[in-house]
Amino acid sequence: MNAPGKRLEELSRFSDLLLLIAGNPATPPSVLAQLARESEVEIRRAVVLNPNTSLLVLGQLVGEFPEEFLRNPVLPMLNMVKPEFIKELPFLAWASLLRFENLPLPWFQQLKIDSRYQRNQAAIWNLLGLHVIQVNASNRPVELFSSSNTRGTWKTALQAEMKRDLLAVAQPVTLSAEDELETFLLLGLLVPHVVPMLKEQWVQAARSSEKLTGRMLSSGMRVGGKTLTQLAQEKSPLVLSQVARHPHTSAKILRRLASSSHPEIRRAVASNSHTPTEIISTLLTDSQASVRRAAVGHASLTAEDHEIMARDEERTVRASLAALPFLAKTLLAQLAGDPAVTVRTAVARNLHTPLDLLATLAIDDQAIVRAAVAGNPRLPIILQSSLLNDTVEVVRARLAGNACLSEQSANQLVQDASPVVRAVLAANPCTPMFLFEQLRQAGEMSVWRGLARNPRLSSEMLTQLAQQGDRSVHIAVAAHKRTPPDVLRELAREGERDIWYALASNPHTPLDVLESALRPTDIELWLRIFNHPTMVRDNRRSFFALLNRKLQQLIASSNLPDWVRRVVFQYYAALPATIIEPFASSTYWEERYLVARHPHTSEDLLNKLAQDGIVSVRMAARDALPDR
């Protein structure tokens, strides 16, 4: 407390000391003014409580910390020596302070005797007129919007009040693009019926983070037709590709995107199952093989189309055709004799390839073709035996992963000299369980990783692998459905991103583990967790709590975007109380009024609002209390 101001100014270079310096009454006002701009909430709170903070800085922070301002030790002295200081407070400061009913009466008297204040500060003067002290002093009747019998009248009047108050705000919104994207994502996921009105936010997100916007479009978030039309005007190929793949994109937009100069956009149009046949017919003749390769798999193609595409000059297009189910046997036979290895490989991999063709391809001179045959689940046991001793490792590895591997073949492959073959065998659900221990004792991490991916592995062995395996083994254990919850919690403590993604893919991951994953900002992870079975069964309460905290932070720092206010005003009665209740601490009385009118606001919160300094808010809360 006896540190000189100059020394405190020097120490303010050290971030670990800022909170102490902000609370020290000896800190110079110039240093406190700098600390008032710090991002950490507790530092700004300490500045408001500091009696050495200048009135100008206090006025900037009152909107965020009204209670702390009223507890500042310098306030009684200001009331005595400089009572007119209250005239210097900005609109946001008054809007926050008027939440409290027991404000010093001299403040109102000081303002009343100055007629110039009424003329020069009309917005604040009108706001002061709504306070309980002013209403009681004038004995004028209170006209509440809720008293209107005309449907929508109170909304119109309230919207006018809110617009006026918002225009009076001098402080610009300084919300980061990341915070805004998070808020937009959470609202869109939790309240999908509000998304169609957020066309501008979709476009803004597309420009600030095209990768995440593309991920959001592909995640199944509800998107309106007008929003897709606007997004189709963007320049980002990634965003346009996701628009082209979206099931609700109109034929008109698809037709325009099909003529794009970017092959990836045309390829996305070709892969959309809702793309009209006439557009697909055009894309089948595209100059880019990747586009034709996507178009050849469209469900609208006929047998005649398949025959034409079987003569395409590009082997990758013919290979895509060869992979399609229910091709005519004659066409499969034609493709099985194709000179291109990739085409014969696709035929060998096709589950509908006849056995006689598989037998022919099993003796192909190219190992990659034989490997595709070895991995085909329709491979008969007699052909499995012929491939067991293939000299090429990849052929035996594919056979080891065959979904219909015989026990006899598995017994031979477990002795294979190649760890790659044994690792694939370890992951195969058809591998006899009595071989698991033999594979584990090998002590090879690649084999353990395969075991950890095997759905039939026991919980006991998974626990052993989690204790002895490396990072890659831990990732596989984290994704396994039989891993015990305690082991999953232990893996979550490692904090590895890939492990978190594995946990998000595991339908049996406990709720508390999923909730801990929501703390770091990772929108990709949030999207994976949102539809997790455990989270869905819990009604996604953790996501609602996350949005609640986000809104509280934005409201407290006066950084809430205007579009969020529009959503709340438009849909307040249909929104869950969890989303509405943070507005009980809003600077704007109109938003607190909406909370008081919400049908599911908690009784405790209504009791708090019933003591609000603004008469309209307190009366609405008191009217609602008897129904709780």
PDB file of all heavy atoms in Angstrom, residues 79 86 101-112 131-134 136-137:
ATOM      1  N   ASN A  79     -20.348  12.771  -3.944  1.00  0.00           N
ATOM      2  CA  ASN A  79     -21.691  13.295  -3.685  1.00  0.00           C
ATOM      3  C   ASN A  79     -21.655  14.597  -2.874  1.00  0.00           C
ATOM      4  O   ASN A  79     -22.529  15.448  -3.021  1.00  0.00           O
ATOM      5  CB  ASN A  79     -22.533  12.248  -2.937  1.00  0.00           C
ATOM      6  CG  ASN A  79     -23.018  11.157  -3.870  1.00  0.00           C
ATOM      7  OD1 ASN A  79     -23.265  11.402  -5.045  1.00  0.00           O
ATOM      8  ND2 ASN A  79     -23.148   9.948  -3.343  1.00  0.00           N
ATOM      9  N   ILE A  86     -22.681  13.340 -11.625  1.00  0.00           N
ATOM     10  CA  ILE A  86     -23.593  12.374 -12.239  1.00  0.00           C
ATOM     11  C   ILE A  86     -24.024  12.817 -13.637  1.00  0.00           C
ATOM     12  O   ILE A  86     -24.443  11.999 -14.455  1.00  0.00           O
ATOM     13  CB  ILE A  86     -24.833  12.152 -11.350  1.00  0.00           C
ATOM     14  CG1 ILE A  86     -25.547  13.474 -11.103  1.00  0.00           C
ATOM     15  CG2 ILE A  86     -24.466  11.465 -10.056  1.00  0.00           C
ATOM     16  CD1 ILE A  86     -26.892  13.301 -10.481  1.00  0.00           C
ATOM     17  N   GLU A 101     -33.064  -0.100  -7.319  1.00  0.00           N
ATOM     18  CA  GLU A 101     -34.142   0.784  -6.855  1.00  0.00           C
ATOM     19  C   GLU A 101     -33.674   1.807  -5.824  1.00  0.00           C
ATOM     20  O   GLU A 101     -34.236   2.890  -5.723  1.00  0.00           O
ATOM     21  CB  GLU A 101     -35.292  -0.046  -6.274  1.00  0.00           C
ATOM     22  CG  GLU A 101     -34.891  -0.957  -5.123  1.00  0.00           C
ATOM     23  CD  GLU A 101     -36.058  -1.767  -4.582  1.00  0.00           C
ATOM     24  OE1 GLU A 101     -37.204  -1.411  -4.910  1.00  0.00           O
ATOM     25  OE2 GLU A 101     -35.831  -2.745  -3.852  1.00  0.00           O
ATOM     26  N   ASN A 102     -32.633   1.485  -5.061  1.00  0.00           N
ATOM     27  CA  ASN A 102     -32.210   2.366  -3.964  1.00  0.00           C
ATOM     28  C   ASN A 102     -31.015   3.233  -4.369  1.00  0.00           C
ATOM     29  O   ASN A 102     -29.951   3.179  -3.752  1.00  0.00           O
ATOM     30  CB  ASN A 102     -31.859   1.538  -2.713  1.00  0.00           C
ATOM     31  CG  ASN A 102     -33.059   0.781  -2.185  1.00  0.00           C
ATOM     32  OD1 ASN A 102     -34.163   1.327  -2.162  1.00  0.00           O
ATOM     33  ND2 ASN A 102     -32.857  -0.452  -1.767  1.00  0.00           N
ATOM     34  N   LEU A 103     -31.186   4.009  -5.398  1.00  0.00           N
ATOM     35  CA  LEU A 103     -30.150   4.957  -5.802  1.00  0.00           C
ATOM     36  C   LEU A 103     -30.264   6.221  -4.952  1.00  0.00           C
ATOM     37  O   LEU A 103     -31.347   6.548  -4.461  1.00  0.00           O
ATOM     38  CB  LEU A 103     -30.296   5.302  -7.287  1.00  0.00           C
ATOM     39  CG  LEU A 103     -30.068   4.152  -8.272  1.00  0.00           C
ATOM     40  CD1 LEU A 103     -30.287   4.640  -9.700  1.00  0.00           C
ATOM     41  CD2 LEU A 103     -28.673   3.555  -8.133  1.00  0.00           C
ATOM     42  N   PRO A 104     -29.173   6.935  -4.778  1.00  0.00           N
ATOM     43  CA  PRO A 104     -29.228   8.177  -3.954  1.00  0.00           C
ATOM     44  C   PRO A 104     -30.247   9.175  -4.517  1.00  0.00           C
ATOM     45  O   PRO A 104     -30.187   9.534  -5.696  1.00  0.00           O
ATOM     46  CB  PRO A 104     -27.796   8.721  -4.049  1.00  0.00           C
ATOM     47  CG  PRO A 104     -26.945   7.523  -4.362  1.00  0.00           C
ATOM     48  CD  PRO A 104     -27.800   6.650  -5.220  1.00  0.00           C
ATOM     49  N   LEU A 105     -31.159   9.599  -3.696  1.00  0.00           N
ATOM     50  CA  LEU A 105     -32.187  10.558  -4.125  1.00  0.00           C
ATOM     51  C   LEU A 105     -31.597  11.884  -4.602  1.00  0.00           C
ATOM     52  O   LEU A 105     -32.115  12.477  -5.559  1.00  0.00           O
ATOM     53  CB  LEU A 105     -33.161  10.798  -2.962  1.00  0.00           C
ATOM     54  CG  LEU A 105     -34.401  11.632  -3.296  1.00  0.00           C
ATOM     55  CD1 LEU A 105     -35.222  10.973  -4.404  1.00  0.00           C
ATOM     56  CD2 LEU A 105     -35.257  11.826  -2.042  1.00  0.00           C
ATOM     57  N   PRO A 106     -30.484  12.370  -4.009  1.00  0.00           N
ATOM     58  CA  PRO A 106     -29.901  13.633  -4.491  1.00  0.00           C
ATOM     59  C   PRO A 106     -29.514  13.600  -5.967  1.00  0.00           C
ATOM     60  O   PRO A 106     -29.459  14.652  -6.606  1.00  0.00           O
ATOM     61  CB  PRO A 106     -28.671  13.824  -3.596  1.00  0.00           C
ATOM     62  CG  PRO A 106     -29.007  13.104  -2.337  1.00  0.00           C
ATOM     63  CD  PRO A 106     -29.802  11.910  -2.779  1.00  0.00           C
ATOM     64  N   TRP A 107     -29.214  12.403  -6.505  1.00  0.00           N
ATOM     65  CA  TRP A 107     -28.871  12.319  -7.927  1.00  0.00           C
ATOM     66  C   TRP A 107     -30.037  12.817  -8.781  1.00  0.00           C
ATOM     67  O   TRP A 107     -29.855  13.604  -9.705  1.00  0.00           O
ATOM     68  CB  TRP A 107     -28.533  10.883  -8.310  1.00  0.00           C
ATOM     69  CG  TRP A 107     -27.218  10.400  -7.768  1.00  0.00           C
ATOM     70  CD1 TRP A 107     -26.385  11.067  -6.936  1.00  0.00           C
ATOM     71  CD2 TRP A 107     -26.602   9.145  -8.053  1.00  0.00           C
ATOM     72  NE1 TRP A 107     -25.270  10.321  -6.645  1.00  0.00           N
ATOM     73  CE2 TRP A 107     -25.372   9.116  -7.332  1.00  0.00           C
ATOM     74  CE3 TRP A 107     -26.936   8.036  -8.800  1.00  0.00           C
ATOM     75  CZ2 TRP A 107     -24.502   8.034  -7.363  1.00  0.00           C
ATOM     76  CZ3 TRP A 107     -26.076   6.956  -8.854  1.00  0.00           C
ATOM     77  CH2 TRP A 107     -24.878   6.958  -8.144  1.00  0.00           C
ATOM     78  N   PHE A 108     -31.227  12.347  -8.470  1.00  0.00           N
ATOM     79  CA  PHE A 108     -32.404  12.729  -9.252  1.00  0.00           C
ATOM     80  C   PHE A 108     -32.742  14.210  -9.042  1.00  0.00           C
ATOM     81  O   PHE A 108     -33.123  14.912  -9.983  1.00  0.00           O
ATOM     82  CB  PHE A 108     -33.591  11.848  -8.865  1.00  0.00           C
ATOM     83  CG  PHE A 108     -33.395  10.399  -9.204  1.00  0.00           C
ATOM     84  CD1 PHE A 108     -32.837   9.525  -8.285  1.00  0.00           C
ATOM     85  CD2 PHE A 108     -33.760   9.905 -10.458  1.00  0.00           C
ATOM     86  CE1 PHE A 108     -32.648   8.182  -8.597  1.00  0.00           C
ATOM     87  CE2 PHE A 108     -33.581   8.570 -10.762  1.00  0.00           C
ATOM     88  CZ  PHE A 108     -33.014   7.701  -9.842  1.00  0.00           C
ATOM     89  N   GLN A 109     -32.570  14.657  -7.801  1.00  0.00           N
ATOM     90  CA  GLN A 109     -32.847  16.071  -7.526  1.00  0.00           C
ATOM     91  C   GLN A 109     -31.872  16.982  -8.264  1.00  0.00           C
ATOM     92  O   GLN A 109     -32.248  18.038  -8.767  1.00  0.00           O
ATOM     93  CB  GLN A 109     -32.774  16.314  -6.007  1.00  0.00           C
ATOM     94  CG  GLN A 109     -33.840  15.576  -5.224  1.00  0.00           C
ATOM     95  CD  GLN A 109     -33.618  15.641  -3.727  1.00  0.00           C
ATOM     96  OE1 GLN A 109     -32.508  15.927  -3.266  1.00  0.00           O
ATOM     97  NE2 GLN A 109     -34.672  15.358  -2.957  1.00  0.00           N
ATOM     98  N   GLN A 110     -30.625  16.560  -8.322  1.00  0.00           N
ATOM     99  CA  GLN A 110     -29.598  17.334  -9.010  1.00  0.00           C
ATOM    100  C   GLN A 110     -29.927  17.479 -10.499  1.00  0.00           C
ATOM    101  O   GLN A 110     -29.730  18.535 -11.095  1.00  0.00           O
ATOM    102  CB  GLN A 110     -28.238  16.636  -8.828  1.00  0.00           C
ATOM    103  CG  GLN A 110     -27.073  17.333  -9.476  1.00  0.00           C
ATOM    104  CD  GLN A 110     -26.681  18.603  -8.749  1.00  0.00           C
ATOM    105  OE1 GLN A 110     -26.948  18.731  -7.559  1.00  0.00           O
ATOM    106  NE2 GLN A 110     -26.067  19.544  -9.449  1.00  0.00           N
ATOM    107  N   LEU A 111     -30.449  16.437 -11.086  1.00  0.00           N
ATOM    108  CA  LEU A 111     -30.783  16.461 -12.514  1.00  0.00           C
ATOM    109  C   LEU A 111     -32.057  17.270 -12.780  1.00  0.00           C
ATOM    110  O   LEU A 111     -32.173  17.928 -13.808  1.00  0.00           O
ATOM    111  CB  LEU A 111     -30.951  15.033 -13.035  1.00  0.00           C
ATOM    112  CG  LEU A 111     -29.687  14.164 -13.022  1.00  0.00           C
ATOM    113  CD1 LEU A 111     -30.013  12.747 -13.444  1.00  0.00           C
ATOM    114  CD2 LEU A 111     -28.613  14.742 -13.921  1.00  0.00           C
ATOM    115  N   LYS A 112     -32.991  17.201 -11.842  1.00  0.00           N
ATOM    116  CA  LYS A 112     -34.270  17.894 -12.030  1.00  0.00           C
ATOM    117  C   LYS A 112     -34.113  19.412 -12.077  1.00  0.00           C
ATOM    118  O   LYS A 112     -34.830  20.110 -12.798  1.00  0.00           O
ATOM    119  CB  LYS A 112     -35.242  17.521 -10.909  1.00  0.00           C
ATOM    120  CG  LYS A 112     -35.991  16.231 -11.145  1.00  0.00           C
ATOM    121  CD  LYS A 112     -37.011  16.019 -10.026  1.00  0.00           C
ATOM    122  CE  LYS A 112     -37.804  14.748 -10.260  1.00  0.00           C
ATOM    123  NZ  LYS A 112     -38.802  14.549  -9.186  1.00  0.00           N
ATOM    124  N   HIS A 131     -37.774   5.203 -13.743  1.00  0.00           N
ATOM    125  CA  HIS A 131     -37.287   4.667 -12.477  1.00  0.00           C
ATOM    126  C   HIS A 131     -38.332   4.841 -11.382  1.00  0.00           C
ATOM    127  O   HIS A 131     -39.102   5.801 -11.367  1.00  0.00           O
ATOM    128  CB  HIS A 131     -35.976   5.353 -12.080  1.00  0.00           C
ATOM    129  CG  HIS A 131     -35.237   4.630 -11.007  1.00  0.00           C
ATOM    130  ND1 HIS A 131     -35.401   4.917  -9.666  1.00  0.00           N
ATOM    131  CD2 HIS A 131     -34.337   3.625 -11.061  1.00  0.00           C
ATOM    132  CE1 HIS A 131     -34.627   4.130  -8.950  1.00  0.00           C
ATOM    133  NE2 HIS A 131     -33.962   3.331  -9.771  1.00  0.00           N
ATOM    134  N   VAL A 132     -38.334   3.920 -10.437  1.00  0.00           N
ATOM    135  CA  VAL A 132     -39.335   3.904  -9.382  1.00  0.00           C
ATOM    136  C   VAL A 132     -39.310   5.184  -8.546  1.00  0.00           C
ATOM    137  O   VAL A 132     -40.357   5.658  -8.081  1.00  0.00           O
ATOM    138  CB  VAL A 132     -39.141   2.656  -8.483  1.00  0.00           C
ATOM    139  CG1 VAL A 132     -37.770   2.657  -7.819  1.00  0.00           C
ATOM    140  CG2 VAL A 132     -40.238   2.556  -7.446  1.00  0.00           C
ATOM    141  N   ILE A 133     -38.123   5.760  -8.335  1.00  0.00           N
ATOM    142  CA  ILE A 133     -38.041   7.007  -7.546  1.00  0.00           C
ATOM    143  C   ILE A 133     -38.754   8.137  -8.261  1.00  0.00           C
ATOM    144  O   ILE A 133     -39.515   8.897  -7.651  1.00  0.00           O
ATOM    145  CB  ILE A 133     -36.565   7.373  -7.288  1.00  0.00           C
ATOM    146  CG1 ILE A 133     -35.935   6.358  -6.323  1.00  0.00           C
ATOM    147  CG2 ILE A 133     -36.437   8.784  -6.735  1.00  0.00           C
ATOM    148  CD1 ILE A 133     -34.478   6.623  -6.012  1.00  0.00           C
ATOM    149  N   GLN A 134     -38.563   8.230  -9.578  1.00  0.00           N
ATOM    150  CA  GLN A 134     -39.210   9.275 -10.345  1.00  0.00           C
ATOM    151  C   GLN A 134     -40.724   9.056 -10.419  1.00  0.00           C
ATOM    152  O   GLN A 134     -41.506   9.988 -10.315  1.00  0.00           O
ATOM    153  CB  GLN A 134     -38.637   9.318 -11.767  1.00  0.00           C
ATOM    154  CG  GLN A 134     -37.198   9.781 -11.834  1.00  0.00           C
ATOM    155  CD  GLN A 134     -37.075  11.269 -11.586  1.00  0.00           C
ATOM    156  OE1 GLN A 134     -37.103  11.735 -10.436  1.00  0.00           O
ATOM    157  NE2 GLN A 134     -36.972  12.038 -12.653  1.00  0.00           N
ATOM    158  N   ASN A 136     -42.635   7.410  -8.263  1.00  0.00           N
ATOM    159  CA  ASN A 136     -43.238   7.673  -6.962  1.00  0.00           C
ATOM    160  C   ASN A 136     -43.283   9.163  -6.658  1.00  0.00           C
ATOM    161  O   ASN A 136     -44.198   9.669  -6.014  1.00  0.00           O
ATOM    162  CB  ASN A 136     -42.455   6.946  -5.871  1.00  0.00           C
ATOM    163  CG  ASN A 136     -42.624   5.439  -5.960  1.00  0.00           C
ATOM    164  OD1 ASN A 136     -43.581   4.968  -6.578  1.00  0.00           O
ATOM    165  ND2 ASN A 136     -41.717   4.695  -5.361  1.00  0.00           N
ATOM    166  N   ALA A 137     -42.253   9.869  -7.140  1.00  0.00           N
ATOM    167  CA  ALA A 137     -42.202  11.308  -6.868  1.00  0.00           C
ATOM    168  C   ALA A 137     -43.276  12.068  -7.631  1.00  0.00           C
ATOM    169  O   ALA A 137     -43.855  13.035  -7.135  1.00  0.00           O
ATOM    170  CB  ALA A 137     -40.818  11.852  -7.229  1.00  0.00           C
TER     171      ALA A 137
END
